[in-house]
């Protein structure tokens, strides 16, 4: 009953700047519901580029991307935005919180955009997510009153607000110190194990990668290994 | 739901940058204030100047003009039919200035539903005898009541009672400038020589101020019967009939048909006063041009602040898009910001514009030539407020549209990679 929720088929991407440099070469893989996947590889091998394509933000590539049985090829900008809003949560290296809004409101924004729940319900759900991440006490503060680790946790709560099919992270601990990195990694592990949240995390941290269910290793724009381990 | 969310985001961005947005809004307020004030004042002046003319001018004037014979002898020669004729020899003959069949003309006009009223008139050249010299002048013999009803005669009689003209025989109301020259005051008797050389003493019962000093140097008023006596003519002698219509716009067409019907010269107000309309429209155009220029300047202010805001908020725009807001959502946020600046700035502008014109309306404005005007004239036409409101919204919308389009096209990947 393992349902494939994201499938990359023969994805190629080149930059033309000014000469054409191929960055991603024939990327193929599937992600099934509940997968806890990490992507590792040297800096510059194309991990971020791949994630931007998988998250539908970058549409300039060759190959096929299928998310939740829907081909992304040829969808309009507004439709892609809807897919991102509904099905994908994204955590970046930088938190990208809006300082004009409270922490709570930041988490709520994608939920309000989705419009599936009333404003009260979205608020309630946002508080729940903040509670899971242990920062519900900060809900009414402005983001700039929070520490780096707390901000990143708010960003994770924001990625979770619409119960996405998959949460992607691009070196989400890249800006954090060791202690906060551990907290964030522990959160991802908990999301995967307790909530069966599908996760696709780019990381440099070997220890964290080792704790995931599946490691995809990249080099020079190619996938050189893709190992799933059997969970105990 | 979506609209509320977008409005909420727009509001938050706006409040976060409230100083700049306030400056932009004040720009709009200022320009709309000036726009309203300028147009109210200008069109108030226009109306005043127009009414100077319109109140006193007949819509149609019937008269006989002295002119050369239309048919010259050469026109009768069969050989030159269809050719252009240069030879003209018959000079104006002994034309009678009086209108024929005045009674029947007046009766026909009185029964015409298009006519509001009419005032018969006699115009004649005279000399005012002042000591050893004679001043040229014009006496207008009028039907005092009709003249007052149709042309507000009383408004311009600044000294004396206009009805005395009717009630006191052989009386005259002098133009103020003429009276000053003759050192004449109410109760004095002046001597007037008519074109046929007869001298008549007339009693001054009032002074008249038209607003145009040159006119007042020459013109004076008497009753119809006094004028007829002065000229030694019977009581059917009338030189002009001044007509007021119910609809001024029909004047040119009706003038033509009356001219043919009564076989007289008929002149309509549009032809006589075309220069005034030109003046009015030039003044109005200038007011609009200044107002709109101010608005465009304010528009650039909004354009600048939005561009700055977008530059500062690149990250926010990128994350909104990354979390599922579409390009058009982002565009609506910034157009929303521009429109709220336009709407609030514009509303304040309309209010201040009203207050400012009300202020100008209180400033005393006394001029000898305009006896009925006491303060600066203001026209509170709601049209100006509507145009001002609509323009402020259109300009701010356009000023916001370009930055908003730029924001909607921001590629989140480029921003996020740059971090
Ligand atoms: N806009 C661009 N134009 C040209 N080359 C680019 C551009 N963006 C990234 N690259 C190149 O693409 C490669 C992959 O980058 P990236 O996906 O960010 O690597 P990673 O995330 O694995 O460190 C790098 O060599 C980088 O220099
Ligand atoms: Mg990277």
């Amino acid at each position: 009953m393992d349902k494939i929720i994201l499938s990359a088929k023969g994805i190629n991407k080149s930059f033309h700047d000014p000469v054409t440099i191929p960055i991603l070469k024939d990327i193929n893989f599937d992600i099934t519901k509940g997968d806890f996947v990490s992507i590792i590889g040297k800096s510059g091998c194309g991990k971020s580029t791949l994630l931007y394509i998988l998250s539908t933000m970058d549409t300039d590539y060759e190959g096929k991307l299928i998310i939740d049985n829907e081909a992304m090829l040829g969808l309009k900008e507004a439709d892609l935005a809807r897919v991102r809003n509904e099905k994908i949560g994204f955590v970046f290296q930088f938190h990208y919180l809006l300082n004009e809004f409270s922490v709570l409101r930041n988490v709520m924004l994608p939920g309000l955009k989705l419009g599936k729940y009333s404003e009260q319900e979205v608020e309630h759900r946002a508080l729940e997510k903040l509670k899971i991440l242990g920062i519900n006490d900060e809900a009414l503060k402005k983001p700039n009153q929070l520490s780096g680790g707390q901000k990143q946790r708010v960003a994770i709560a924001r990625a979770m607000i619409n119960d996405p099919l998959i949460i992607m992270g691009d070196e989400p601990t890249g800006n954090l110190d060791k202690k906060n990195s551990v907290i964030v990694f522990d959160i991802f592990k908990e999301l995967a194990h307790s909530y069966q949240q599908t996760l696709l995390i780019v990381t440099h941290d070997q220890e964290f990668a080792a704790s995931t269910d599946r490691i995809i290793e990249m080099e020079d724009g190619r996938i050189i290994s893709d190992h799933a381990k059997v969970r105990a | 739901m979506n609209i509320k969310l977008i409005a909420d985001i727009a509001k938050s961005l706006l409040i976060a940058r409230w100083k700049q947005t306030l400056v932009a809004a004040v720009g709009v307020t200022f320009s709309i204030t000036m726009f309203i004030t300028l147009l109210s004042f200008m069109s108030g002046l226009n109306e005043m100047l127009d009414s100077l003319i319109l109140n006193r001018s007949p819509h149609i004037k019937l008269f006989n003009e002295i002119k050369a014979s239309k048919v010259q002898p050469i026109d009768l020669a069969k050989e030159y039919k269809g050719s252009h004729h240069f030879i003209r020899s018959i000079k104006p003959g002994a034309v009678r200035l009086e209108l024929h069949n005045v009674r029947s003309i007046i009766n026909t006009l009185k029964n015409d539903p298009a006519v509001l009223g009419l005032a018969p008139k006699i115009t004649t050249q005279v000399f005012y005898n002042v000591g050893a010299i004679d001043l040229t002048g014009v006496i207008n013999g009028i039907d005092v009541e009709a003249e007052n009803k149709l042309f507000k005669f009383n408004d311009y009689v600044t000294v004396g009672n206009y009805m005395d003209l009717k009630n006191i025989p052989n009386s005259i109301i002098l133009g103020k400038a003429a009276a000053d020259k003759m050192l004449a005051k109410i109760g004095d008797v002046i001597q007037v020589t008519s074109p046929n050389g007869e001298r008549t003493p007339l009693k001054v019962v009032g002074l008249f101020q038209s607003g145009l000093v040159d006119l007042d140097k020459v013109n004076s008023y008497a009753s119809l019967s006094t004028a007829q006596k002065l000229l030694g003519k019977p009581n059917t002698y009338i030189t002009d009939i001044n007509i007021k219509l119910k609809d001024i716009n029909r004047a040119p067409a009706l003038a033509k048909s009356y001219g043919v019907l009564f076989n007289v010269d008929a002149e309509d107000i549009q032809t006589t006063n075309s220069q005034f309309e030109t003046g009015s429209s030039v003044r109005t155009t200038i007011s609009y041009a200044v107002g709109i220029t101010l608005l465009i300047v304010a528009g650039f202010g909004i354009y600048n602040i939005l561009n700055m805001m977008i530059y500062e908020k690149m990250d926010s725009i990128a994350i909104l898009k990354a979390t599922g807001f579409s390009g058009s959502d982002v565009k609506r946020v910034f157009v929303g910001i521009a429109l709220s600046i336009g709407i609030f700035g514009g509303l304040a502008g309309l209010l201040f514009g009203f207050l400012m014109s009300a202020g100008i309306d209180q400033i005393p404005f006394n001029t000898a030539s305009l006896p009925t005007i006491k303060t600066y004239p203001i026209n509170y036409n709601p049209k100006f407020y509507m145009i001002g409101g609509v323009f402020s919204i259109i300009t701010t919308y356009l000023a916001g549209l370009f930055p908003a389009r730029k924001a909607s096209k921001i590629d989140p990947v480029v921003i996020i990679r740059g971090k």
Side-chain angles (χ1 to χ4, degrees):
Chain A
M1 66 142 269
D2 280 355
K3 190 180 160 224
I4 294 177
I5 54 168
L6 183 147
S7 171
K9 290 188 177 18
I11 287 183
N12 284 281
K13 178 172 175 77
S14 308
F15 281 115
H16 313 275
D17 185 23
V19 285
T20 302
I21 312 163
I23 301 293
L24 295 177
K25 298 152 197 163
D26 195 31
I27 303 286
N28 289 288
F29 66 91
D30 293 338
I31 291 177
T32 24
K33 195 164 166 30
D35 269 358
F36 183 17
V37 189
S38 57
I39 300 180
I40 56 170
K42 287 205 193 83
S43 185
C45 70
K47 307 180 297 292
S48 295
T49 309
L50 176 61
L51 232 51
Y52 297 145
I53 290 173
L54 298 182
S55 68
T56 79
M57 285 192 286
D58 187 351
T59 51
D60 180 21
Y61 60 90
E62 287 146 37
K64 261 167 116 180
L65 172 64
I66 296 160
I67 296 173
D68 202 18
N69 292 323
E70 188 180 6
M72 294 296 113
L73 188 75
L75 284 192
K76 292 208 182 65
E77 184 260 359
D79 296 321
L80 292 173
R82 178 186 49 77
V83 170
R84 281 200 295 281
N85 183 234
E86 195 181 338
K87 297 175 178 169
I88 301 170
F90 213 116
V91 183
F92 303 95
Q93 197 168 340
F94 182 72
H95 56 78
Y96 288 108
L97 297 175
L98 276 60
N99 284 322
E100 291 84 4
F101 294 94
S102 69
V103 162
L104 181 63
R105 198 82 187 157
N106 264 285
V107 176
M108 285 168 70
L109 278 178
L112 294 172
K113 167 65 194 169
L114 184 64
K116 190 167 145 195
Y117 302 101
S118 73
E119 185 158 346
Q120 285 91 329
E121 283 170 300
V122 173
E123 185 174 321
H124 178 73
R125 290 166 55 82
L127 281 169
E128 254 175 18
K129 307 291 178 194
L130 288 171
K131 202 168 200 169
I132 293 172
L133 302 184
I135 40 169
N136 50 333
D137 289 343
E138 326 292 333
L140 297 177
K141 287 188 183 165
K142 286 280 157 75
N144 50 18
Q145 296 169 297
L146 265 50
S147 75
Q150 286 173 321
K151 282 182 196 164
Q152 201 60 321
R153 279 189 271 167
V154 176
I156 297 171
R158 178 177 62 192
M160 290 161 66
I161 187 70
N162 288 338
D163 294 331
L165 277 179
I166 181 168
I167 293 177
M168 302 182 191
D170 189 4
E171 302 184 37
T173 61
N175 277 338
L176 301 180
D177 57 21
K178 185 70 199 159
K179 185 174 142 254
N180 276 304
S181 299
V182 171
I183 295 173
V184 168
F185 282 143
D186 286 345
I187 286 167
F188 283 128
K189 286 179 213 166
E190 193 196 338
L191 290 181
H193 299 139
S194 309
Y195 297 89
Q196 277 71 50
Q197 173 68 56
T198 315
L199 291 164
L200 177 64
I201 311 288
V202 170
T203 182
H204 277 124
D205 192 296
Q206 289 296 333
E207 209 178 309
F208 172 68
S211 70
T212 62
D213 300 341
R214 177 177 162 195
I215 302 172
I216 296 174
E217 191 176 357
M218 285 180 69
E219 196 180 292
D220 267 345
R222 275 182 220 283
I223 293 177
I224 53 166
S225 75
D226 187 347
H227 293 298
K229 52 177 194 194
V230 186
R231 210 187 288 174
Chain B
M1 185 65 226
N2 219 335
I3 294 287
K4 191 168 163 276
L5 175 60
I6 296 220
D8 186 48
I9 296 174
K11 197 178 96 193
S12 304
L13 291 179
L14 219 144
I15 289 169
R17 285 260 147 268
W18 69 271
K19 273 184 199 159
Q20 280 100 318
T21 40
L22 190 68
V23 170
V26 166
V28 177
T29 303
F30 177 75
S31 61
I32 294 289
T33 304
M34 292 317 287
F35 180 81
I36 295 292
T37 313
L38 210 64
L39 274 171
S40 306
F41 188 37
M42 276 293 184
S43 85
L45 277 180
N46 276 345
E47 264 184 3
M48 183 194 77
L49 293 173
D50 286 351
S51 70
L52 258 183
I53 302 304
L54 288 179
N55 284 348
R56 277 179 288 169
S57 307
H59 295 166
I60 298 174
K61 178 179 164 188
L62 303 182
F63 62 106
N64 275 333
E65 194 163 33
I66 298 177
K67 54 180 174 262
S69 171
K70 262 192 190 141
V71 183
Q72 295 286 338
I74 190 131
D75 293 323
L76 303 173
K78 286 199 185 69
E79 305 92 295
Y80 302 115
K81 217 173 174 179
S83 309
H84 186 80
H85 301 152
F86 292 97
I87 303 166
R88 291 172 301 188
S89 53
I90 306 291
K91 298 280 188 294
V95 212
R96 297 202 309 168
L97 287 174
E98 67 173 298
L99 298 168
H100 307 274
N101 292 327
V102 174
R103 286 269 139 74
S104 77
I105 294 181
I106 289 179
N107 278 334
T108 314
L109 288 175
K110 274 190 174 154
N111 292 324
D112 191 326
V115 173
L116 182 70
L118 56 89
K121 193 170 174 183
I122 299 165
T123 327
T124 181
Q125 298 275 334
V126 291
F127 291 108
Y128 305 122
N129 310 124
V130 184
I133 59 160
D134 293 334
L135 296 173
T136 51
V138 172
I139 286 188
N140 300 279
I142 54 170
D143 174 337
V144 179
E145 277 155 334
E147 190 75 13
N148 187 51
K149 199 175 128 236
L150 297 180
F151 304 113
K152 304 189 178 173
F153 180 56
N154 188 31
D155 281 359
Y156 305 98
V157 176
T158 50
V159 181
N161 182 359
Y162 79 103
M163 278 308 283
D164 286 349
L165 206 57
K166 189 185 170 208
N167 299 333
I168 299 174
N170 292 337
S171 57
I172 186 167
I173 289 183
L174 282 173
K176 181 155 187 312
D180 287 347
K181 264 198 217 173
M182 291 185 257
L183 297 173
K185 52 185 192 302
I186 289 195
D188 287 359
V189 173
I190 60 159
Q191 302 288 331
V192 170
T193 309
S194 69
N196 46 26
E198 270 182 60
R199 224 173 212 243
T200 316
L202 294 173
K203 188 175 178 193
V204 179
V205 294
L207 298 180
F208 170 89
Q209 233 177 323
S210 67
L212 301 169
V213 177
D214 273 349
L215 271 182
D216 299 346
K217 273 186 194 165
V218 182
N219 276 274
S220 56
Y221 287 87
S223 67
L224 277 178
S225 57
T226 306
Q228 284 156 352
K229 251 188 275 172
L230 195 75
L231 293 169
K233 300 280 185 187
N235 65 357
T236 52
Y237 180 86
I238 299 288
T239 58
D240 301 355
I241 293 177
N242 289 334
I243 304 170
K244 265 218 167 153
L245 299 173
K246 285 174 184 148
D247 177 10
I248 188 173
N249 297 317
R250 292 184 62 195
L254 284 173
K256 224 171 252 170
S257 75
Y258 291 157
V260 174
L261 183 63
F262 305 128
N263 189 26
V264 291
D265 290 294
E267 217 170 55
D268 58 89
I269 188 166
Q270 282 84 351
T271 313
T272 335
N273 292 303
S274 52
Q275 76 276 18
F276 282 96
E277 266 181 37
T278 319
S280 295
S281 73
V282 167
R283 278 188 294 271
T284 310
T285 312
I286 291 174
S287 318
Y288 275 101
V290 171
I292 288 166
T293 309
L294 287 170
L295 260 179
I296 290 172
V297 172
F300 275 107
I302 293 177
Y303 176 85
N304 270 337
I305 163 120
L306 278 187
N307 260 338
M308 221 162 74
M309 211 182 251
I310 287 161
Y311 190 76
E312 280 174 10
K313 295 292 162 206
M314 288 283 201
D315 286 358
S316 304
I317 295 165
I319 194 64
L320 284 175
K321 289 186 123 184
T323 56
F325 287 80
S326 64
S328 60
D329 290 334
V330 171
K331 189 167 109 186
R332 271 184 242 146
V333 166
F334 286 93
V335 166
I337 291 176
L339 278 182
S340 24
I341 294 176
I343 289 169
F344 288 111
L347 279 178
L350 294 181
L351 181 69
F352 284 123
F354 174 75
L355 293 178
M356 200 150 151
S357 27
I360 291 175
D361 205 357
Q362 300 307 312
I363 300 174
F365 175 64
N366 289 309
T367 159
S369 53
L370 298 165
T372 51
I373 307 284
K374 299 284 174 243
T375 59
Y376 278 105
I378 292 287
N379 180 358
Y380 296 96
N381 192 339
K383 196 176 88 183
F384 304 143
Y385 293 79
M386 261 155 66
I387 292 174
V390 168
F391 265 135
S392 70
I393 289 171
I394 290 177
T395 353
T396 50
Y397 175 76
L398 289 179
L401 192 61
F402 296 100
R405 280 238 289 268
K406 199 164 89 184
S408 78
K409 293 211 176 85
I410 284 174
D411 182 353
V413 173
V414 172
I415 308 294
I416 288 163
R417 235 185 224 295
K419 276 278 165 181

